[in-house]
Amino acid sequence: MTERLPLFPLNTVLYPGLVLPLHVFEDRYRRLVADLLARPEGEPQRFGVLAIKDGREVAPVREHDGPAGPLDGLGTITGDPLEALHHIGCIADVTSVQELPDGQYKLVVTGTTRFRLRSVDTGGPYLVGEAEPIEEQQGEGAGALALGVERAFRAYQKRLAGARESSLAGEQDLPVEPGVLSYLVAAATLLPTPVKQQLLACPDTATRLTAELDLLRQETAILGWLPSVPAGDLTRQPFSPN
């Protein structure tokens, strides 16, 4: 089954169970939020977050008057947004909303379910997609892999804290459920957006944990050779200005 979802393309990846703050200031996305808030009581207020493959989240300065169109900013020559967006995304539930005096919004959303984008409607002020939910599968050996990933992630955190010349607070409890752990580690590890997208798109939890185990070992080894973490890595946070 598929569901029609408003789409919010971003230069970041949202994972199920993770929280993302958004500052919504463009007209097209203010309209999206307003439409969600206008829904009858009890109807879900949610949209689809997709990482941008080619383009940027904020529309460029326009040469003519009028609000940005749904495709503005996406690097597609043919006008087909499927070329500019990754096809695996995450449904975002609005958990809090603050309307600012100038009509902008501050949102906090929580990722819930992965989906596969099947088609896109560009006829309105913002993109609307036909989304097919993806059920999370555990895969073989997810439990044992989760234990290995937990150990590797703690070693990575310690090495990262050392590279940052900062102290690591007392050990935090990590999720026991392998799927939840896999998404938390994917979100918390400093990795480029294409790599984070690959982790989101893994067919099952075991595959994601296997990839994370390799990535964590590689990143920890690299941090061991660096005197400090490049400033660009330290500023790579899951926050969108739009």
Side-chain angles (χ1 to χ4, degrees):
M1 295 180 62
T2 61
E3 174 185 357
R4 281 179 60 83
L5 281 176
L7 298 180
F8 206 133
L10 294 173
N11 287 326
T12 190
V13 177
L14 177 64
Y15 296 100
L18 275 295
V19 173
L20 178 68
L22 291 169
H23 178 195
V24 181
F25 60 87
E26 285 194 88
D27 287 340
R28 51 186 173 175
Y29 298 123
R30 287 159 62 174
R31 174 69 178 274
L32 186 157
V33 175
D35 288 348
L36 290 180
L37 297 179
R39 289 183 174 181
E41 185 176 356
E43 283 196 13
Q45 296 176 343
R46 60 189 184 186
F47 52 85
V49 171
L50 288 161
I52 297 171
K53 186 190 305 181
D54 183 12
R56 61 189 199 180
E57 353 180 293
V58 180
V61 176
R62 299 170 64 83
E63 297 179 359
H64 54 82
D65 294 333
L71 293 174
D72 283 356
L74 297 181
T76 171
I77 298 176
T78 64
D80 183 359
L82 290 174
E83 296 181 358
L85 300 173
H86 289 283
H87 296 175
I88 304 295
C90 183
I91 295 175
D93 276 2
V94 177
T95 53
S96 72
V97 54
Q98 176 188 1
E99 185 173 3
L100 304 178
D102 58 0
Q104 300 182 33
Y105 296 94
K106 286 187 176 180
L107 301 181
V108 176
V109 303
T110 302
T112 58
T113 306
R114 292 186 303 158
F115 68 89
R116 179 176 287 103
L117 184 65
R118 291 301 189 186
S119 63
V120 181
D121 181 357
T122 62
Y126 49 81
L127 298 175
V128 176
E130 200 70 28
E132 179 185 13
I134 301 174
E135 182 180 353
E136 182 74 12
Q137 303 291 334
Q138 286 285 299
E140 186 175 353
L145 285 164
L147 295 175
V149 167
E150 179 180 349
R151 289 192 294 267
F153 182 62
R154 292 197 187 281
Y156 167 80
Q157 284 183 304
K158 291 177 181 177
R159 187 61 61 85
L160 183 61
R164 285 172 160 170
E165 298 181 351
S166 61
S167 60
L168 187 65
E171 269 196 7
Q172 298 177 336
D173 291 335
L174 292 174
V176 176
E177 203 282 316
V180 178
L181 176 67
S182 74
Y183 287 128
L184 175 62
V185 169
T189 306
L190 296 178
L191 296 168
T193 297
V195 178
K196 287 182 173 286
Q197 177 64 35
Q198 290 172 8
L199 294 175
L200 179 71
C202 284
D204 54 52
T205 300
T207 303
R208 186 177 306 109
L209 289 168
T210 299
E212 288 171 347
L213 192 56
D214 290 340
L215 287 166
L216 287 168
R217 288 170 174 168
Q218 292 171 16
E219 294 294 308
T220 302
I222 291 172
L223 288 170
W225 287 96
L226 296 176
S228 62
V229 176
D233 287 340
L234 294 179
T235 58
R236 191 160 53 202
Q237 299 296 328
F239 173 81
S240 168
N242 198 4

